[in-house]
Structures are given as structure tokens and as C-alpha cells.
Amino acid sequence: MPNPAILVTGATGKTGRRVVECLVRMKLPARAGSRNPAPDGVHFDWSQSETWSAALDGVRAVYLVAPSGVTDVLGAMKPFIDQAVEVGVDRFVLLSASSLPEGGPMMGAVHAYLRQAAPHWTVLRPSWFMQNFSELQHQSTIKDERRIYSATADGRVGFIEVGDIASVAAHALADPAFPDAEYILTGPETMSYSEVAAVIGKVIGADVRYIRLLEAEVADRFRSIGIPDEYAKLLAAMDSTIADGAENRVTTKVADITGQPPRSFEAFAASAAAAWYP
């Protein structure tokens, strides 16, 4: 197969677009798949199987980002994975999460299926994104209220910068000999949400506070922004696992794989400060 391509699903998302950028810098033929593709991308939609064949044409490796808001993730992704294997895709790199073990809910079920069905597979299990504070759920409350809400209590998290996840993913996609394994990815240190609030406050010169909520209150907040009930409960329950210490760990995998240390939260916050100004 001449110059086989690498398909990146979710290519306009937080990790996907950065994976494409990494592959381009590595001079590899990245194919950016999304529901609303750029002119040089390809139409890809998990819910529209008629988009899959063109997206997979000439592809040897796929970066898998699960469809959002779906609780039966394996049910949504398995038909595509099966089709990809049938047309000769050799390597899959799945974005999962540190909180989702193999065989567990959501991407954990896909993780188990890849071990069974894929010729070669890598599962990335990053900790919580630093960009959760600058681009996702906490950005608006920091900007508008100078508050961070969660049910994590004093639990600590090895927050990771999304660019570091993308770099690891690009290495896994590019290397035909990359080991079939799972990788827990973290930043260089663990932090509590109150420490995160203090760092952001220092960067922007404001009093940013962490507000402790109950798990049920966090679920209500997710529902209020349109997240389906069961998915909102699942996300809120993850806060409780943080409070119980499940994310209080640091690994060296980013540096081991990429040769570069993971970015610190302080460096991230300094670069993201514009997201928090009114």
C-alpha cells in the first residue's frame, strides 16, 4: 500500500486536532475525520456508516475518539472497528481515560474489544485534562464567577496537558512496532482543585476559589447544560472517585514515549490566561 494514511477521528476536538498537527509535523499522511471536516479533511460520523468507507480508504492506522454523550460506547464503535479490520487497518490507538479500566464502562469496553479484535492496539488512559479549566466545563465559571465547582473534595489529580496526550498518540500511530499495551498518562505532579484555583488566580491576578459540591449537585449542574441524565450521573461519580484518591498518581509515560517531560500546570495556566479574562 503506497504511503498509507492515518485516520484521526474527532479531528476537530481537543485531542484530535492536536494529533493531526503532530502527525503533520512528523511529515506523516494524516487524514482528519470529523462531522464537519475542513476542506482538506474527510467526512466521518460515528452515527452514519455510509461515511466510513471513504474515510478508511488507504488507511493503515486509526486514532479512535469515542462519540460524545453516548453511554453504550462499544455499541457505537464496534461496527466501525470491525469494518476497519476487514479493510486492512493494522493499528488502533484509543483515547480512553485513567478512570476507565479495561472491561469497565464506556471506553473500557472498547479497550477490551480491541485486545480481542485488533491486529495491533494501544490504549491511552490520560488523567484529567488541564484544558478542562480553559476550554471545557470549568472555563465559564472561572471567567464569570471566579469559581471552580466539583465534588472532588481534597482529592489530587495528575492533570495532563492535551498536547502531551497528542504527542504520545502520534508516536503510537507512527511506529509500526509500538507495543500493544495501555498507558496511564499524567502531568508531572498531582494537584487538588483548591491548588488549581490558587495557580489560576495568581496568573490572572484574581481571587479564584474552589467550591465543594456533593456528587448529586455536580450531576444537576451537568444536566443543566444539556447532558443526558445517565451520562451526567456517571461524570459526577468520577468526581467522587477523585475525592477517594483514585487519581492521586504520577507516571513517567509521556517522557518515556516522547522524550520530552510533560508540561506543568503552572506553564499551562500562564499560556491559557486569556481564557479566564472577562
Side-chain angles (χ1 to χ4, degrees), residues 194-214:
S194 59
E195 289 171 338
V196 165
V199 170
I200 294 174
K202 182 177 180 180
V203 165
I204 63 176
D207 179 21
V208 178
R209 297 184 181 182
Y210 165 51
I211 306 299
R212 299 186 182 205
L213 299 179
L214 299 174

Side-chain angles (χ1 to χ4, degrees), residues 31 38 40 42 47 51 66 71 88 121 124-125 145 157-158 175 198 203 211-212 219 221 226 238 241 247 256 264:
R31 181 174 298 167
D40 58 347
V42 62
S47 65
T51 67
T71 51
W121 58 274
L124 306 182
R125 295 179 57 198
E145 304 175 40
V157 179
D175 183 357
V203 165
I211 306 299
R212 299 186 182 205
R221 291 182 69 87
M238 291 180 179
T241 66
E247 296 296 324
D256 294 344
S264 70

Side-chain angles (χ1 to χ4, degrees), residues 7 32 88 149 153 157 271:
L7 173 64
Y149 299 91
V157 179
S271 68

Side-chain angles (χ1 to χ4, degrees), residues 152-171:
T152 54
D154 294 321
R156 304 183 70 81
V157 179
F159 293 105
I160 184 168
E161 212 275 341
V162 172
D164 289 328
I165 303 169
S167 182
V168 172
H171 279 75

Side-chain angles (χ1 to χ4, degrees), residues 96-156:
S96 185
S98 58
S99 57
L100 298 172
E102 180 178 359
M106 301 172 65
M107 285 79 76
V110 183
H111 180 165
Y113 187 68
L114 287 176
R115 182 189 291 275
Q116 169 190 331
H120 296 287
W121 58 274
T122 300
V123 175
L124 306 182
R125 295 179 57 198
S127 186
W128 294 78
F129 297 175
M130 293 181 186
Q131 277 79 2
N132 287 354
F133 301 100
S134 64
E135 301 178 34
L136 295 171
Q137 66 266 34
H138 298 298
Q139 188 265 343
S140 61
T141 63
I142 295 171
K143 185 174 86 168
D144 299 336
E145 304 175 40
R146 302 302 191 216
R147 299 290 185 268
I148 298 173
Y149 299 91
S150 84
T152 54
D154 294 321
R156 304 183 70 81

